[in-house]
Amino acid sequence: MNIFHYIFRAIFRIKWWLLILPLGFALLAIYLTRQMDRQYKTDITIYTGVISSYGSDPGESNASQDWNVLNNSIQNIINTINSKETIKRLSMQLYARLMIHGDPTKDNVYITAKHYKELVAITPKDVQKLIDKSSEENTVKNLEKYEKADRNNFVYGLFNWNHPYFSYNALRENIKINRVDNSDILQINYQANDPGVAFQTLDILSKVFAIEYTNLQFGSTNNVIRYFEAELERIGRELRGQEDSLTMYNVENRVINYDKQTEAIALLDKEYELRHQDVLFVYNSAQAAIKQLESGMDANMRAIKNNTEFLARMNQIADINYNISKIRTLSVDSLKQKQGGADLDVLSHELDQKEKGFRSFMDQYTAEKYTKNGYPNANYVKQWVEELLRFKRSEAELNVARDFKQELDHKYTQYSPIGSVLKRKERGISFTEQSYLSILSSLNAARLRLKSLEMNSATLKVINPASFPLNALPHSRKLIVFAVFFGTVAFILGILLIIELFDRTLRDKTRTERITKGKVIAALPKLGKGGAKQTKIEERAIHVLANRLYGFYNNSNPINFINIVKFSSTLDLGSLTDILTAYWQGLGINVLAYKEGTNFSAESREYLVDDAWAEKLGNYDISLVKHGSMALRPIPSLFLERGMATLLVLRADSVWKTEDELMFADLLQRSAGKPIVICLMNAEKYVVEEFTGMLPPFTFLRRLEYQLGNFGLTSLGK
């Protein structure tokens, strides 16, 4: 039997399973789909403007279309529509609209009465209180406030569960987005089991996704602009604060122009160093002249230095000289010269008067005409007075220069730290100013980018709005029924294939030969069971078996016997041996049934070692030697080697185990090339018919079934 015949026979054998079971499931599918919802489909068409507006800016140097950029832009729009945030906004607004406009008594363009009642039935009471019948916007706000990430929260679960209208998975699955050819037009299809829901879903989607796409496209740029504006305001306040701090610092430290002021102080220092040297020279020369003149004076003249009036006049002259020198020293710039000019004239006039008075006093005081060295006293004193006045004048100027030097040193001490502080403040102002200008430049660039995006961005426009579907889609009920029917057939065939591939039950001729690698020559039903019809089947099966075994008979052999062997200890071969013996005896053949347990013992020396049994068997034409189970008793190799053949009897409903395989291999090895054939016991009727042909009853249907099972396509019923 070839493989195709075997497969056909296997399928034909389970024909009733392949017919009744799929029909049963098909009828069940028909019953379960009797109230199946119809599907309604609607669509919208959106003009994106991506391709049409690309490169339309005349200021662009390269207006050629970059298809990668265009395709990416269109894909971004598609992804925006499919995004979870867009679908969530759609779900929330759709639920609010259906709850507001639904009517439990009649269908409308929002939802049918049946589905509205189902929706209200699953909505908790506290959620129903959130529905504002007068405002869809307020209802959405109430639902958003109520929602929280909790498995017991109805609004949260409505989007994340499996509701056919509002869940993310259902909306994402039923919203189909297709690009029309290679244009920048998108077609969005949606279908649901409610025409109103389908219409309202696309109507809301056409508004929601445009808002989401605009937020995504311009949101980042607007955020950047707001950030730059805030930073510009902050840095502007910081810059103004630093400038005000610098101004207050200049006022507190009397700084108008630090560089000019420090330069003027340096010039004053240099000038007064030179003047100090000149004054010091005059002072020293006058002091030396006075000492020389005083050394030539007599005691009377030297005593004048202790005169009260002399000292008073000298102090007055010294004070006036100090004031005059101070005014001249401090009145370097033109402004102070104008302010101190009048005082200097007054002090100079006063000094002349004091000096004249001092000279008159000295002339009167002089009593002697000559000094101790013989000089005229009047001329000598006059010279001493002049030197003394010059000394006092230089002394006053020296004191003023020394005081001013201290003041200059104080100025140096004051202005040295001011310079570093001013540089630090100016450096901070410069850094802040640069930051301000940089932020301002970035802000202008962001604003320009926003305008550019507004000019060149996709222009989303619904050119074909959603329409209310009036006709349902073709029903899929027939498809479901056919799918159930053929699915059941495929399932049964799959089970059959698995059984055929992995089941090691012997069952029939083909499988037994495939598993055991042996030769099956016959199959017998259960012997001694049933009435006359069963007896006829047994006779036909024994007839085939006997004829096959007789084919091993050889007249030239001194002994002709057949070994009947079994592996199972529960299989009874006595009746088989008796039936074969009776059949051959009926043909006039001298037959001996030599049975273990009756004619010999499997544990006797006669069976295991001696060959006396050969003389007994030699007196008969054919002998049948029935051995015991190979699993319990050994079979001498002499029987296997000298027999015409060995008949291995196996149960058709038994499993070919590993120990059976080992025993069969041992049997083949010890048979010395003598044939070993297999007979299946307790086989099904169709297995027996593989050897005997058609068995009774011979009705028309039985003949038809048998002919089909054997590919008798042109001889049906004959």
Side-chain angles (χ1 to χ4, degrees):
M1 183 185 297
N2 58 48
I3 185 64
F4 296 105
H5 191 191
Y6 178 77
I7 294 174
F8 181 79
R9 291 287 298 273
I11 295 175
F12 193 78
R13 188 175 63 251
I14 59 171
K15 57 185 178 297
W16 299 115
W17 286 98
L18 289 175
L19 181 61
I20 296 175
L21 197 61
L23 284 176
F25 277 101
L27 292 175
L28 180 62
I30 293 173
Y31 175 78
L32 294 177
T33 57
R34 66 188 186 280
Q35 295 180 349
M36 185 176 178
D37 288 332
R38 306 296 296 271
Q39 292 293 315
Y40 296 86
K41 184 178 181 180
T42 185
D43 61 79
I44 59 174
T45 305
I46 299 172
Y47 172 75
T48 63
V50 172
I51 299 177
S52 303
S53 63
Y54 185 80
S56 61
D57 188 358
E60 293 181 356
S61 60
N62 182 15
S64 62
Q65 292 182 336
D66 188 341
W67 287 105
N68 291 329
V69 175
L70 298 178
N71 291 331
N72 183 64
S73 300
I74 294 178
Q75 189 61 42
N76 287 340
I77 297 176
I78 295 175
N79 293 337
T80 302
I81 299 174
N82 283 328
S83 67
K84 197 166 188 177
E85 185 64 25
T86 301
I87 295 180
K88 184 176 182 180
R89 289 171 60 90
L90 166 63
S91 172
M92 195 77 72
Q93 292 190 20
L94 178 63
Y95 176 74
R97 181 173 295 184
L98 298 183
M99 290 296 293
I100 291 174
H101 300 286
D103 191 339
T105 60
K106 62 180 180 179
D107 299 343
N108 54 30
V109 295
Y110 297 97
I111 188 173
T112 60
K114 171 188 173 183
H115 293 142
Y116 177 71
K117 287 186 287 186
E118 293 175 355
L119 182 60
V120 173
I122 66 172
T123 302
K125 297 296 183 182
D126 54 342
V127 177
Q128 294 183 18
K129 295 178 181 178
L130 303 176
I131 307 302
D132 186 355
K133 294 287 185 177
S134 62
S135 174
E136 183 178 317
E137 182 178 356
N138 291 338
T139 301
V140 172
K141 290 181 180 179
N142 295 336
L143 294 175
E144 289 176 347
K145 292 179 181 178
Y146 180 83
E147 181 187 16
K148 62 179 180 178
D150 186 355
R151 63 183 296 112
N152 297 320
N153 186 276
F154 176 77
V155 178
Y156 179 79
L158 199 64
F159 180 72
N160 293 280
W161 293 338
N162 296 312
H163 196 280
Y165 301 154
F166 312 109
S167 69
Y168 172 74
N169 293 330
L171 289 171
R172 178 69 183 274
E173 180 180 356
N174 293 323
I175 295 176
K176 307 296 182 182
I177 306 173
N178 299 309
R179 181 180 175 184
V180 179
D181 298 329
N182 289 325
S183 65
D184 50 4
I185 296 178
L186 298 178
Q187 186 177 33
I188 304 178
N189 301 310
Y190 179 75
Q191 68 179 36
N193 61 351
D194 190 299
V197 173
F199 169 67
Q200 297 300 330
T201 299
L202 285 191
D203 182 66
I204 295 174
L205 180 63
S206 63
K207 301 178 179 63
V208 168
F209 90 91
I211 298 173
E212 288 295 321
Y213 182 74
T214 302
N215 292 336
L216 288 176
Q217 194 171 27
F218 303 128
S220 59
T221 304
N222 289 327
N223 291 336
V224 170
I225 290 176
R226 285 193 292 270
Y227 167 76
F228 283 142
E229 288 176 344
E231 284 296 299
L232 195 67
E233 178 65 22
R234 182 184 65 82
I235 295 178
R237 290 195 303 269
E238 184 178 343
L239 180 60
R240 289 190 294 271
Q242 291 178 347
E243 290 175 344
D244 293 341
S245 175
L246 177 62
T247 302
M248 293 299 298
Y249 186 79
N250 287 332
V251 172
E252 291 174 358
N253 292 276
R254 303 177 62 82
V255 177
I256 297 177
N257 190 324
Y258 178 77
D259 294 334
K260 295 293 184 181
Q261 286 179 286
T262 53
E263 182 179 357
I265 292 173
L267 292 175
L268 286 176
D269 183 64
K270 181 178 180 181
E271 180 181 347
Y272 282 105
E273 283 292 335
L274 297 175
R275 186 173 179 181
H276 180 264
Q277 294 296 328
D278 294 339
V279 172
L280 186 62
F281 176 76
V282 174
Y283 175 81
N284 291 332
S285 62
Q287 187 179 27
I290 290 173
K291 287 182 179 180
Q292 184 178 2
L293 291 173
E294 286 181 351
S295 63
M297 291 182 181
D298 58 5
N300 189 25
M301 289 301 297
R302 287 194 296 270
I304 196 173
K305 297 172 63 177
N306 297 322
N307 186 277
T308 303
E309 187 176 357
F310 173 82
L311 294 175
R313 288 179 180 274
M314 287 302 298
N315 290 332
Q316 291 177 0
I317 292 172
D319 292 338
I320 294 173
N321 281 323
Y322 179 82
N323 292 331
I324 291 173
S325 179
K326 185 175 181 181
I327 291 174
R328 289 175 178 174
T329 301
L330 297 177
S331 303
V332 178
D333 57 337
S334 59
L335 183 61
K336 288 189 176 182
Q337 285 179 358
K338 292 178 181 179
Q339 292 176 351
D343 295 336
L344 184 61
D345 293 339
V346 174
L347 291 176
S348 298
H349 179 71
E350 185 179 358
L351 179 62
D352 290 340
Q353 295 296 325
K354 294 295 182 181
E355 287 181 349
K356 289 178 180 180
F358 181 72
R359 291 188 183 94
S360 298
F361 169 74
M362 289 304 299
D363 290 341
Q364 294 175 4
Y365 187 79
T366 304
E368 298 180 358
K369 297 295 185 180
Y370 300 96
T371 63
K372 63 180 181 177
N373 294 324
Y375 293 99
N377 192 40
N379 294 332
Y380 196 88
V381 171
K382 185 177 181 180
Q383 185 179 359
W384 177 76
V385 169
E386 293 297 331
E387 291 296 335
L388 183 60
L389 291 174
R390 190 163 69 92
F391 172 75
K392 289 299 182 179
R393 190 180 300 113
S394 61
E395 183 181 24
E397 291 181 357
L398 186 62
N399 290 333
V400 171
R402 187 179 296 111
D403 293 341
F404 193 74
K405 180 64 176 175
Q406 292 178 356
E407 186 174 351
L408 284 176
D409 293 340
H410 175 70
K411 289 291 184 183
Y412 273 107
T413 305
Q414 177 185 359
Y415 276 88
S416 294
I418 289 176
S420 61
V421 174
L422 287 177
K423 288 182 179 179
R424 185 167 63 249
K425 287 181 175 293
E426 290 173 353
R427 186 167 58 249
I429 291 174
S430 177
F431 176 79
T432 305
E433 185 178 7
Q434 292 298 323
S435 300
Y436 183 87
L437 295 176
S438 177
I439 294 296
L440 182 61
S441 176
S442 300
L443 176 60
N444 292 332
R447 286 173 175 169
L448 288 175
R449 175 172 175 79
L450 179 62
K451 292 299 180 182
S452 178
L453 286 174
E454 291 175 353
M455 293 177 62
N456 297 321
S457 62
T459 306
L460 301 179
K461 183 179 179 181
V462 178
I463 56 178
N464 288 328
S467 58
F468 185 83
L470 299 177
N471 298 321
L473 294 175
H475 213 300
S476 60
R477 188 181 183 189
K478 293 181 180 178
L479 181 62
I480 294 175
V481 173
F482 280 113
V484 169
F485 179 83
F486 289 107
T488 307
V489 171
F491 176 77
I492 296 173
L493 292 177
I495 295 297
L496 174 64
L497 177 62
I498 293 175
I499 292 174
E500 292 297 328
L501 290 177
F502 299 102
D503 187 20
R504 290 178 64 85
T505 304
L506 298 178
R507 198 183 67 189
D508 55 30
K509 175 181 181 298
T510 303
R511 182 185 286 186
T512 302
E513 291 180 349
R514 176 173 60 85
I515 295 175
T516 64
K517 304 297 188 296
K519 178 67 175 177
V520 180
I521 63 171
L524 302 177
K526 293 183 179 180
L527 300 179
K529 305 292 184 180
K533 184 172 64 175
Q534 181 67 20
T535 302
K536 291 181 180 181
I537 294 174
E538 292 178 4
E539 290 177 354
R540 179 61 180 160
I542 290 296
H543 172 75
V544 172
L545 175 60
N547 291 341
R548 296 288 178 84
L549 292 177
Y550 185 78
F552 298 109
Y553 178 76
N554 190 351
N555 291 330
S556 61
N557 291 336
I559 303 176
N560 286 292
F561 67 92
I562 297 174
N563 297 296
I564 300 178
V565 180
K566 65 177 181 178
F567 292 159
S568 174
S569 59
T570 60
L571 184 62
D572 182 17
L573 299 182
S575 58
L576 174 62
T577 305
D578 293 339
I579 293 174
L580 283 174
T581 301
Y583 177 79
W584 276 330
Q585 287 176 350
L587 297 177
I589 300 174
N590 190 11
V591 183
L592 172 66
Y594 193 64
K595 301 179 182 179
E596 187 271 336
T598 302
N599 304 106
F600 65 90
S601 174
E603 298 177 354
S604 64
R605 186 176 183 279
E606 177 187 0
Y607 173 72
L608 297 174
V609 178
D610 290 343
D611 58 353
W613 52 268
E615 296 179 1
K616 298 179 182 179
L617 301 182
N619 299 325
Y620 296 90
D621 297 328
I622 298 176
S623 300
L624 297 175
V625 181
K626 184 183 77 68
H627 299 275
S629 172
M630 284 188 65
L632 303 177
R633 300 288 186 270
I635 297 178
S637 300
L638 189 61
F639 282 94
L640 302 176
E641 294 172 357
R642 298 181 64 179
M644 294 187 304
T646 298
L647 177 64
L648 175 61
V649 181
L650 300 173
R651 291 177 61 95
D653 56 356
S654 65
V655 179
W656 185 255
K657 302 180 289 298
T658 304
E659 55 267 32
D660 298 335
E661 186 174 349
L662 294 175
M663 287 187 289
F664 187 69
D666 178 67
L667 197 64
L668 290 173
Q669 183 180 4
R670 294 192 295 119
S671 63
K674 294 298 180 66
I676 297 177
V677 293
I678 299 174
C679 177
L680 296 176
M681 292 287 292
N682 298 336
E684 297 292 338
K685 183 178 180 180
Y686 73 90
V687 178
V688 178
E689 286 182 337
E690 292 180 354
F691 302 96
T692 64
M694 184 179 177
L695 297 173
F698 300 104
T699 63
F700 175 78
L701 292 178
R702 280 281 298 141
R703 287 192 180 95
L704 183 63
E705 179 183 353
Y706 182 78
Q707 294 295 339
L708 288 174
N710 289 275
F711 292 130
L713 302 179
T714 60
S715 60
L716 296 178
K718 297 181 180 179

